[in-house]
Amino acid sequence: MTPPNPQRSPLLLPVVLAATFMSGFDTNVVNIALPAIRGELHAGPAALELVVSGYIFAYAAGLITGGRLGDLYTYRRLFLIGMAGFTVASMLCGLAQSPVELVGARILQGLTAAAMVPQVLATIMANFDAGDRTRALAWFGVTAGASGVVGQVLGGLLISADVAGWGWRTVFFLNLPVGAVMLAVAVRVLPARTLDRRPGLDPLGLIGITAALALALAPLSFGRELGWPLWTWVCLVAAVPCLLAVLAYERRLAAAGGDPLIDLDFFRRRSTMFGILINVAFMATFTSGIFAVTLLLQEGFGLSALQAGLAFAARGALVVLAPMVGRRVIAAHGQARAIVLGCGIDIVTLIGLGVALHGFGGHIWLGWVVIGNALLGFGNMFILPAALGVTVATVEPHQAGSASGVVNTTQQFSGAVGLAVLGTLFFAVAGSGPGRGEYATAVEAVLWVHLVLIVGAAALALRLDRARTPSVVVTQPDSAQSAQAAVDR
């Protein structure tokens, strides 16, 4: 691939980040819309669960495949196909007249998101040099974090406004004008760049990885709502040997000079492995945290969808602010120390909020929950861009699409595991017929698990920071990049 082009369009980053925003927005906004969907479409609990988890399942299962297809057919082409498909699928969601139609359209949404989202990181890695990449990843972190918060806030506003009498359908119809504009701009600004060496498709690897992910994601996505029947445990157990067999095949294919779907060399770099582990710990807390706090606000405090959405506004403001500060921390001290700082903010906040919930229970002041939620968002946005930067720091151009698929899949899979495990813990602690006190106790239990995970992420980042060579000076942006290169060696 040719070197990054310094004359790239200034609209390139906003256009590709729009895909990240749209996919994250649609992951979260539907939670606010579920009560309205249940009322209009007469959807039962299983159907409502499928509206949420069907999207997540299809999205996460298809990310690695979407990344390889980007390597094979260019990131531009896959982005345009994915964006067009996502826009059409959003229209079908808004037009759905039955739970079956809505679930089908949501699965299609997930598949098309899996085509376009891997191209975001791949495009950033392929078109931005080391200095600009840090800034681009900071904005990627803003977008990824803000999309969930905006989904809560804007979703509540749109449903309450009942624009044109569309009700919950508005949250899906919103993607139509946004998708159309982004497509029109993307056609003009996305570079039609090709790799010097195009990888093969690896159909056996594609089928095997998709099967392994499906075996793991299906029970994680649907098991909690269905009461964890036998088939969920069978699938989880079967996923392990399936994945091991595929990885063994991928190793043999690489040794024979082929092009495996997953380049295992990607995982042999110290910074990459540490970055992936930090992402796993972080995403397990991120998804389940929003879930638990939303339930406390709506079911515990009895807030409406609009009020619960507005309660996330403070978090949204700090989510936008944090990466701007974090970018300077990364430039001065490196990505590992930015992760440590973010973890430190989260650790203090988790302890404070956990102690408050333990002491006051259902009588806790709503403001403490809102402030704590906002501070967690602030700390999270130091962690996310830096963790992504550590993970993809040494990716070769021909690995960009596949690496992006692996990173995104890791994040989605970790979020699904965190939501399944901690969601089960939440409802087990809350019990049947819970009130505000029980919900507060359930959130407290989730926060203590979050504390353990974030402490683990901080420990990994500290080890990564200590691995830097002592001779490296880290007081200037260029030296921060040198430090990262030393870690990767």
Side-chain angles (χ1 to χ4, degrees):
M1 181 181 287
T2 56
N5 180 10
Q7 297 182 350
R8 63 182 176 272
S9 169
L11 294 177
L12 175 61
L13 185 61
V15 166
V16 295
L17 290 183
T20 300
F21 183 87
M22 292 169 72
S23 64
F25 179 86
D26 275 63
T27 300
N28 291 276
V29 73
V30 74
N31 293 307
I32 294 291
L34 286 180
I37 293 172
R38 179 177 56 207
E40 183 174 337
L41 297 185
H42 307 291
L48 291 175
E49 181 73 11
L50 285 170
V51 169
V52 178
S53 55
Y55 173 88
I56 296 173
F57 169 73
Y59 177 39
L63 282 167
I64 291 179
T65 300
R68 170 49 61 92
L69 291 176
D71 285 337
L72 189 60
Y73 297 111
T74 76
Y75 310 138
R76 169 192 168 91
R77 185 175 300 171
L78 261 291
F79 183 92
L80 294 175
I81 291 172
M83 178 66 78
F86 190 87
T87 304
V88 172
S90 299
M91 180 183 68
L92 295 177
C93 287
L95 295 174
Q97 299 298 312
S98 71
V100 172
E101 291 180 6
L102 181 56
V103 169
R106 284 284 287 172
I107 291 174
L108 180 60
Q109 249 195 335
L111 290 173
T112 54
M116 70 176 180
V117 171
Q119 318 318 322
V120 177
L121 277 177
T123 299
I124 289 173
M125 287 185 279
N127 292 277
F128 290 78
D129 58 25
D132 288 341
R133 190 180 298 173
T134 298
R135 178 181 62 84
L137 288 174
W139 279 110
F140 181 90
V142 171
T143 306
S147 63
V149 177
V150 173
Q152 301 279 341
V153 178
L154 187 57
L157 289 171
L158 289 173
I159 293 170
S160 298
D162 194 20
V163 179
W166 290 336
W168 59 268
R169 300 175 190 275
T170 311
V171 302
F172 295 112
F173 286 149
L174 181 64
N175 287 329
L176 272 64
V178 176
V181 171
M182 289 302 105
L183 273 171
V185 179
V187 168
R188 294 178 175 272
V189 305
L190 283 181
R193 312 177 79 203
T194 59
L195 292 167
D196 297 329
R197 184 180 69 84
R198 295 173 63 184
L201 183 59
D202 183 16
L204 287 179
L206 188 153
I207 294 170
I209 289 295
T210 302
L213 287 171
L215 285 170
L217 286 167
L220 291 172
S221 299
F222 312 131
R224 180 176 57 82
E225 183 67 27
L226 299 177
W228 298 103
L230 178 61
W231 70 264
T232 60
W233 298 106
V234 171
C235 287
L236 283 172
V237 171
V240 176
C242 181
L243 179 60
L244 292 176
V246 174
L247 293 180
Y249 167 78
E250 296 289 272
R251 187 178 293 109
R252 289 195 301 271
L253 181 62
D259 292 310
L261 179 67
I262 297 180
D263 187 347
L264 298 180
D265 287 339
F266 176 62
F267 298 95
R268 290 176 181 157
R269 301 177 181 92
R270 182 187 183 93
S271 63
T272 297
M273 278 307 303
F274 274 54
I276 286 176
L277 291 173
I278 291 168
N279 272 290
V280 167
F282 169 75
M283 286 305 299
T285 68
F286 184 83
T287 305
S288 58
I290 290 179
F291 170 80
V293 171
T294 300
L295 280 178
L296 176 61
L297 293 174
Q298 290 191 275
E299 303 295 336
F301 284 95
L303 302 185
S304 66
L306 175 60
Q307 291 169 329
L310 291 175
F312 274 82
R315 178 171 177 141
L318 292 185
V319 159
V320 172
L321 173 64
M324 304 300 101
V325 180
R327 190 176 66 203
R328 294 180 174 86
V329 174
I330 291 173
H333 303 291
Q335 292 159 331
R337 293 188 183 181
I339 295 171
V340 173
L341 176 59
C343 288
I345 294 170
D346 278 3
I347 288 168
V348 172
T349 304
L350 287 167
I351 292 174
L353 187 54
V355 169
L357 285 166
H358 183 77
F360 295 103
H363 299 289
I364 189 173
W365 178 46
L366 175 61
W368 287 123
V369 178
V370 173
I371 293 169
N373 186 41
L375 289 175
L376 287 174
F378 186 68
N380 287 346
M381 289 304 105
F382 278 85
I383 300 170
L384 179 58
L388 286 170
V390 166
T391 308
V392 303
T394 57
V395 170
E396 298 295 332
H398 69 275
Q399 296 175 313
S402 296
S404 177
V406 168
V407 171
N408 280 286
T409 300
T410 300
Q411 291 184 327
Q412 292 301 313
F413 185 79
S414 303
V417 172
L419 185 57
V421 174
L422 294 178
T424 300
L425 172 66
F426 181 94
F427 287 111
V429 174
S432 58
R436 182 186 294 188
E438 289 76 15
Y439 276 115
T441 303
V443 171
E444 180 196 344
V446 170
L447 293 184
W448 295 134
V449 178
H450 284 189
L451 179 62
V452 173
L453 291 169
I454 293 299
V455 167
L460 288 168
L462 283 170
R463 286 192 61 186
L464 191 61
D465 185 57
R466 291 195 194 102
R468 296 183 299 179
T469 54
S471 60
V472 175
V473 180
V474 292
T475 57
Q476 298 297 328
D478 289 343
S479 61
Q481 296 163 17
S482 301
Q484 184 60 52
V487 171
D488 295 327
R489 288 196 296 270

